[in-house]
Amino acid sequence: MQSLDYSHIKNLDDWKNKIFCGDCLEVLQNFPDASVNLIVTSPPYADSRRSTYGGIHPDNYVEWFLPIAKELQRVLRDDGTFILNIKEKAVNCERHTYVIELILALKKQGWLWTEEYIWHKKNCTPGKWSNRFRDAWERCLQFNKQKKFKMNQDAVMVPTGDWAKTRLNKLSDNDKIRFNSQVGSGFGKNIANWVGREMAYPTNVLHLPTECSNKSHSAAFPKSLPTWFIKLFSDEEDIILDPFLGSGTTCVAAYELNRNYIGIEIKEEYYKIALANLDAVKVPFVQNSLF
Ligand SMILES: C[S@@+](CC[C@H](N)C(=O)[O-])C[C@H]1O[C@@H](n2cnc3c(N)ncnc32)[C@H](O)[C@@H]1O
């Protein structure tokens, strides 16, 4: 699909709550600087789904992604966050290193690699290949422009859970004081702080099922995935961008959390599906008059 010309859109209000059909590298060039609060996206994985939406050869992945990342860096606000859902594929019986190379290249580009969340696909069925088992997790890499970024930790608290019943039942002397890490990391913990609390902070492993009901895109992530990051890294009215929108999941999640959204999808077929999915949640979108 040929990208449409969006160069006449100058005002941020004209970008908000719309999705665009085109190559994100071209469309993003029209966005104002520092205009987006959070980017949550899942780009095409290297080569793996060539039959459905094209693929980038693993050897060329970093070279392909870097110019896009540069634009994302430009449009992201200084206190914003970029979440990149990605997974390396196996090539010739071993894991290709393109994700690791991409992390290093993004760091060179000026991004801070702040955290790595693991999405554990908890409803994965078993599988077996000659030298490995079923992939049941994917990376959600967190990049930032600066060390201080917006983070609403309380928004993703979880019930304290069963561990507390046993672990907090018998506290050692060290549990009752702030016990500093023995490896000199500078971190410490006071286990006794959690006694009597019903909610605790989650870990960086997200146990979320894949959504088998969304048949409109072969690589859609579950709405719970962008929802979690949107709650954590943005406030209401903030602007959430997904430059590889697919079936529109991130925009739907953003809308439902009272955030503004912007989505970009290169394939007309998926763009139309995303429009329909947004329509289904009664988003008052104005269909792009250029399309
Ligand atoms: C992994 S899928 C995203 C799926 C999405 N998270 C969802 O839940 O439906 C990646 C999408 O990026 C689109 N894409 C690939 N290259 C693109 C580009 N240069 N600009 C915009 N979209 C692109 C593909 O067509 C595909 O729909």
Side-chain angles (χ1 to χ4, degrees):
M1 157 99 201
Q2 267 253 302
S3 277
L4 297 168
D5 180 12
Y6 296 115
S7 56
H8 64 288
I9 308 180
K10 298 282 177 231
N11 191 331
L12 185 59
D13 280 339
D14 294 329
W15 289 102
K16 277 191 326 198
N17 300 319
K18 292 202 176 71
I19 66 174
F20 299 89
C21 190
D23 182 337
C24 62
L25 179 58
E26 292 172 25
V27 179
L28 281 168
Q29 283 165 17
N30 301 301
F31 277 40
D33 292 353
S35 50
V36 164
N37 300 89
L38 172 65
I39 300 162
V40 182
T41 200
S42 172
Y45 297 174
D47 241 1
S48 55
R49 292 179 192 266
R50 212 163 217 160
S51 58
T52 51
Y53 55 73
I56 315 299
H57 191 281
D59 293 347
N60 304 330
Y61 203 86
V62 174
E63 189 189 349
W64 168 75
F65 197 80
L66 278 185
I68 297 170
K70 192 81 205 154
E71 280 303 308
L72 296 178
Q73 201 173 35
R74 184 183 64 74
V75 303
L76 187 65
R77 291 172 61 101
D78 286 347
D79 65 349
T81 289
F82 167 30
I83 298 294
L84 179 61
N85 167 223
I86 197 164
K87 172 81 180 182
E88 51 271 87
K89 63 174 288 174
V91 180
N92 286 336
C93 299
E94 60 171 339
R95 290 287 176 188
H96 196 283
T97 54
Y98 71 91
V99 175
I100 294 163
E101 287 157 24
L102 181 61
I103 293 169
L104 295 174
L106 288 174
K107 279 170 65 65
K108 271 198 189 139
Q109 198 175 55
W111 293 96
L112 301 178
W113 179 29
T114 315
E115 178 57 302
E116 175 170 58
Y117 292 88
I118 297 299
W119 167 28
H120 165 222
K121 302 172 178 182
K122 67 176 190 178
N123 58 342
C124 243
T125 52
K128 184 190 175 307
W129 286 259
S130 61
N131 58 352
R132 57 173 49 84
F133 299 120
R134 159 92 64 214
D135 265 338
W137 64 274
E138 295 188 11
R139 297 169 191 266
C140 294
L141 304 169
Q142 180 191 341
F143 295 97
N144 292 93
K145 293 171 78 168
Q146 59 184 33
K147 287 182 187 166
K148 213 166 155 25
F149 50 85
K150 186 180 284 190
M151 189 179 195
N152 302 321
Q153 298 195 353
D154 289 356
V156 294
M157 287 185 95
V158 291
T160 308
D162 288 344
W163 70 271
K165 288 185 197 138
T166 44
R167 182 67 180 84
L168 300 181
N169 213 10
K170 258 191 175 173
L171 294 178
S172 70
D173 288 344
N174 283 341
D175 288 338
K176 294 176 191 160
I177 55 169
R178 182 183 158 86
F179 191 65
N180 288 327
S181 160
Q182 299 297 283
V183 295
S185 64
F187 290 104
K189 57 185 177 189
N190 187 340
I191 297 288
N193 271 344
W194 296 103
V195 174
R197 295 215 199 172
E198 288 184 359
M199 301 294 277
Y201 296 107
T203 67
N204 56 6
V205 179
L206 312 180
H207 304 279
L208 306 172
T210 53
E211 263 170 32
C212 307
S213 55
N214 185 353
K215 303 270 185 249
S216 56
H217 195 289
S218 63
F221 47 35
K223 194 170 65 183
S224 51
L225 190 76
T227 294
W228 195 83
F229 288 111
I230 291 168
K231 282 183 185 167
L232 182 57
F233 292 120
S234 72
D235 297 319
E236 290 198 1
E237 305 298 329
D238 278 356
I239 300 181
I240 317 298
L241 166 70
D242 187 342
F244 298 98
L245 186 62
S247 59
T249 317
T250 303
C251 291
V252 169
Y255 171 76
E256 289 181 346
L257 291 168
N258 290 325
R259 272 68 166 175
N260 296 293
Y261 62 80
I262 301 173
I264 308 170
E265 168 56 46
I266 201 167
K267 280 200 93 177
E268 186 178 343
E269 173 195 351
Y270 295 138
Y271 167 77
K272 285 183 173 167
I273 289 171
L275 280 177
N277 285 340
L278 280 161
D279 198 21
V281 289
K282 304 205 179 351
V283 176
F285 71 88
V286 182
Q287 179 147 3
N288 194 322
S289 57
L290 292 172
F291 186 70

